[in-house]
Amino acid sequence: MSNKKNVVLAFSGGLDTAFCAVYLREQGYDVTTVTVDTGGFPPEQLERIAALSKQLGAVEHVTVDARETLFQGYLRYLIAGNVLRGQVYPLSVSAERACQAAEVVRVAREKGTQALAHGSTGAGNDQVRFDVAFRSLAPELELLTPIRTLSLSRQQELSYLAERGVHMPPKLGSYSVNEGMWGTSVGGAETLDSWKALPEAAFPGGELSQDLKPRPLTVSFEKGVPVALDGEKLGPVKLVEALNALGRTYGIGRGVHLGDTILGIKGRVGFEAPAAHLLVTAHRELEKLVLSGKQLFWKESMGNLYGSLLHEGHFFDPLVKDLEAFLTSSQERVTGDVRLVLHPRTQVVEGVRSPHSLMDAKVATYGEANVLWNGSEAAGFAKLYGVAQMLSHRAK
């Protein structure tokens, strides 16, 4: 049995984590690599990653299918909160990193390891998300970050590996793409300039067909969770994957988000997230039908707060569980169907229905007759409703 210290490395199979695997081994660690599949890995890629881990000298490789965990622990609350950062960007990477970090810690505990490692650089948000998660969930374990600590360039990493007989493929294409179940982020020269637009070809779905016809789609929810498409019952993972495939052909959920990074600078990223945009659009419309005005007001605030905590690496703060309890409670009556129509680059809500609808034509119709009050009662209400404003203006 080895007397070396054990380290569990969050492993994507890319250049940075490949370097980490070899470097840590040469520093005297037995390396276990862990790949957490949150929806961006086809089977053949997972096989390639496992083979690479072995080639790099890892003592063990673990693949975790975390798609269901990602939905149940993270995405269902993003849907419940209608969370789109800056009103456009689904928190796909944020949710993935929190989920991946938690799963890596789980494996490390099972293996009885002494250290955790990740391959993030010192430049972006992911280093903070992994660091905070690892230190929150496993503060007793040593934290190793070779890429950040050594401040290596990509060429230096390639040379280091080549000297040891490991030849990583060169970076292909002009864009950095991170694909996951809740969306795909796209980075390139255009995202470094606030004025430039990403070309259609940069998105995973590529340029859109000129022959697209309007496509009706019905999404069904039970207590805020999507459960069916066009009347066909589907588990959450299959449903999200189906919406991604369908929406991608229409260019749904494409855009560029400009916002604040954890490190305090402005950042810009392209994204393609069909399922996220379709589900949030449908869910928000259903909530308008079944929730009170005050619920809708506070849900927007709480949803935005939840999204901010997730995005900024505070997912393991106790407040997150409090917000999840609120969001769960708010979904008790969010059951029903939403009818959408897909068009190139957009979706339109055409109708919504629910057994818990608060819109009852038998009681009152906006702008028309009703049975709950008469004209004189309405006049009295309108007079009292404006008293505070009248007094305020009179005081001037």
Side-chain angles (χ1 to χ4, degrees):
M1 186 173 179
S2 175
N3 292 320
K4 296 180 179 180
K5 293 176 70 175
N6 298 313
V7 60
V8 165
L9 168 66
F11 189 69
S12 68
L15 174 61
D16 291 334
T17 56
F19 172 88
C20 289
V22 175
Y23 177 81
L24 290 170
R25 178 169 56 81
E26 292 189 354
Q27 296 302 305
Y29 288 91
D30 278 338
V31 181
T32 295
T33 54
V34 179
T35 300
V36 182
D37 179 9
T38 50
F41 298 101
E44 60 274 14
Q45 188 175 354
L46 291 173
E47 293 174 5
R48 181 194 68 78
I49 290 172
L52 176 62
S53 171
K54 184 177 181 180
Q55 179 189 355
L56 298 173
V59 296
E60 185 180 4
H61 177 72
V62 179
T63 300
V64 179
D65 183 352
R67 291 173 298 170
E68 185 75 24
T69 300
L70 177 67
F71 183 88
Q72 297 298 344
Y74 306 82
L75 302 187
R76 65 180 297 171
Y77 299 109
L78 294 180
I79 296 171
N82 300 317
V83 179
L84 293 173
R85 190 168 177 85
Q87 305 304 311
V88 294
Y89 182 55
L91 299 181
S92 53
V93 177
S94 311
E96 288 173 35
R97 296 298 178 261
C99 179
Q100 289 164 349
E103 289 300 303
V104 169
V105 169
R106 181 182 62 79
V107 172
R109 292 206 182 285
E110 291 176 356
K111 302 294 181 183
T113 192
Q114 289 86 46
L116 294 165
H118 64 78
S120 298
T121 70
N125 289 332
D126 283 349
Q127 57 168 329
V128 179
R129 291 168 181 148
F130 276 116
D131 277 21
V132 172
F134 285 170
R135 289 189 170 118
S136 298
L137 300 176
E140 75 282 4
L141 299 184
E142 183 181 7
L143 176 58
L144 304 171
T145 59
I147 303 298
R148 183 174 62 190
T149 300
L150 298 172
S151 298
L152 299 176
S153 68
R154 183 177 178 84
Q155 188 54 52
Q156 287 174 311
E157 293 177 55
L158 286 169
S159 298
Y160 177 92
L161 292 173
E163 290 170 2
R164 289 153 178 79
V166 179
H167 299 280
M168 298 294 290
K171 183 179 179 182
L172 301 176
S174 304
Y175 298 97
S176 171
V177 178
N178 182 84
E179 185 171 358
M181 193 169 81
W182 200 232
T184 300
S185 62
V186 182
E190 296 87 351
T191 59
L192 301 177
D193 186 323
S194 64
W195 186 248
K196 293 182 179 178
L198 276 171
E200 293 288 327
F203 294 97
E207 296 185 6
L208 302 185
S209 168
Q210 299 301 308
D211 300 322
L212 291 171
K213 306 296 182 185
R215 203 289 195 180
L217 173 70
T218 299
V219 183
S220 301
F221 294 85
E222 291 181 5
K223 294 189 175 183
V225 176
V227 294
L229 297 179
D230 291 331
E232 180 186 359
K233 290 280 187 179
L234 292 171
V237 172
K238 293 295 184 184
L239 188 147
V240 169
E241 290 175 346
L243 282 179
N244 278 331
L246 174 61
R248 178 171 284 183
T249 63
Y250 281 81
I252 302 295
R254 287 185 182 184
V256 178
H257 170 59
L258 173 62
D260 296 290
T261 69
I262 298 174
L263 299 176
I265 62 174
K266 295 291 183 181
R268 196 164 179 254
V269 63
F271 61 88
E272 182 176 80
H277 272 255
L278 289 168
L279 288 173
V280 168
T281 297
H283 179 267
R284 181 185 288 116
E285 194 70 14
L286 180 56
E287 285 194 325
K288 291 178 185 178
L289 183 67
V290 302
L291 298 186
S292 72
K294 289 183 174 60
Q295 281 180 302
L296 292 171
F297 177 87
W298 286 108
K299 268 199 74 273
E300 183 174 359
S301 298
M302 296 300 101
N304 286 336
L305 177 56
Y306 184 85
S308 293
L309 291 169
L310 177 60
H311 173 75
E312 294 168 4
H314 291 302
F315 187 77
F316 300 100
D317 188 287
L319 176 57
V320 168
K321 292 303 176 186
D322 298 333
L323 293 172
E324 287 177 353
F326 170 84
L327 291 171
T328 298
S329 174
S330 74
Q331 300 302 291
E332 280 298 312
R333 290 189 286 123
V334 186
T335 295
D337 306 310
V338 183
R339 191 172 72 251
L340 304 168
V341 177
L342 277 56
H343 300 274
R345 295 295 296 266
T346 192
Q347 67 277 356
V348 177
V349 176
E350 287 208 332
V352 59
R353 64 187 179 188
S354 170
H356 307 298
S357 172
L358 297 181
M359 186 175 178
D360 187 351
K362 296 178 182 178
V363 173
T365 303
Y366 180 70
E368 302 293 340
N370 65 82
V371 298
L372 292 180
W373 61 82
N374 58 36
S376 62
E377 290 170 334
F381 170 79
K383 180 178 180 179
L384 293 174
Y385 191 72
V387 164
Q389 294 176 68
M390 180 189 70
L391 293 174
S392 176
H393 278 270
R394 180 178 293 176
K396 291 182 180 179

